[in-house]
Amino acid sequence: MPTITTLIWIAVVLLLVGVYLSWTAGRLDRLHARIDAARAALDAQLLRRASIAQELATAGVLDPASSMVLYQAAHDARSAEEEQREVAESELSQALRAVFEEDEQVAAVRAAPGGEEATGELAASVRRVPMARRFHNDAVRAARALRRHRKVRWFRLAGHAPFPLAFEMDDEPPAPLAERDGNGGRTTHG
């Protein structure tokens, strides 16, 4: 009779290992779904930022040189291939900082018809991009940490899902836009 008891214990252990591996695979799947959702949100914020920048560049409220620089950077960010996307988005961030580095430039755009609303939308957008990127990269970090575990590698719990990659870009907003709240006023710190 000791063999039946041994077989029962082996079956119980195998069942527990199977449940644990299934739970881990489900957790990894949820992390990959979270990465996909965070990437979609990041893409939406980046597209919104580029669209608003293009609108401002073509609105005639900026000087011609600033309009050209901003329009080209926004166009490149919107049309970049996936391999070049981080570089193009970083260049758009740099162009935004170059165009809107002075409070006077922001004030001139705000004074133009429709400028108050456009500047507010751009300010909101440049503040949301770093948050969306942070959420995405946090999800990537969590999935990478789990995928590094031996049990995930040995039992191939990730399946054929590609290894998650962080989105690295320069997302520093122009200071005059980063300091403004959504209602067009200065934010209070402290």
Side-chain angles (χ1 to χ4, degrees):
M1 287 299 161
T3 52
I4 292 179
T5 305
T6 304
L7 289 176
I8 290 173
W9 278 110
I10 290 173
V12 167
V13 167
L14 288 175
L15 178 68
L16 290 175
V17 167
V19 166
Y20 178 71
L21 291 176
S22 175
W23 176 81
T24 303
R27 181 172 167 227
L28 189 57
D29 187 50
R30 287 188 300 277
L31 283 171
H32 283 132
R34 189 171 129 204
I35 290 170
D36 291 342
R39 181 58 190 249
L42 175 61
D43 287 341
Q45 290 302 325
L46 292 171
L47 181 61
R48 182 171 184 253
R49 180 181 77 150
S51 297
I52 295 167
Q54 269 187 319
E55 285 177 27
L56 275 172
T58 59
V61 296
L62 299 172
D63 63 85
S66 295
S67 291
M68 287 300 297
V69 166
L70 191 57
Y71 181 84
Q72 190 60 49
H75 174 73
D76 291 348
R78 288 182 73 173
S79 61
E81 296 292 325
E82 192 59 36
E83 305 83 47
Q84 298 300 315
R85 184 97 186 268
E86 293 173 348
V87 172
E89 294 294 347
S90 293
E91 288 173 354
L92 176 55
S93 295
Q94 293 165 4
L96 285 166
R97 282 196 307 271
V99 171
F100 294 106
E101 67 184 337
E102 306 280 328
D103 279 328
E104 294 79 30
Q105 180 74 342
V106 175
V109 172
R110 282 185 178 280
E116 187 75 33
E117 182 180 330
T119 308
E121 286 181 23
L122 183 61
S125 177
V126 298
R127 285 193 311 269
R128 287 183 184 134
V129 166
M131 287 188 293
R133 190 174 73 85
R134 204 169 312 121
F135 288 138
H136 175 266
N137 289 350
D138 287 348
V140 166
R141 220 175 344 273
R144 282 179 168 182
L146 184 58
R147 286 182 70 151
R148 284 190 189 106
H149 288 257
R150 276 183 255 157
K151 65 181 175 272
V152 173
R153 290 192 320 263
W154 289 349
F155 292 101
R156 301 181 192 273
L157 298 181
H160 297 289
F163 195 73
L165 299 174
F167 194 87
E168 298 301 334
M169 64 172 274
D170 173 2
D171 59 8
E172 184 68 29
L177 293 177
E179 295 171 357
R180 298 194 178 273
D181 66 19
N183 299 322
R186 295 268 180 198
T187 56
T188 55
H189 300 286

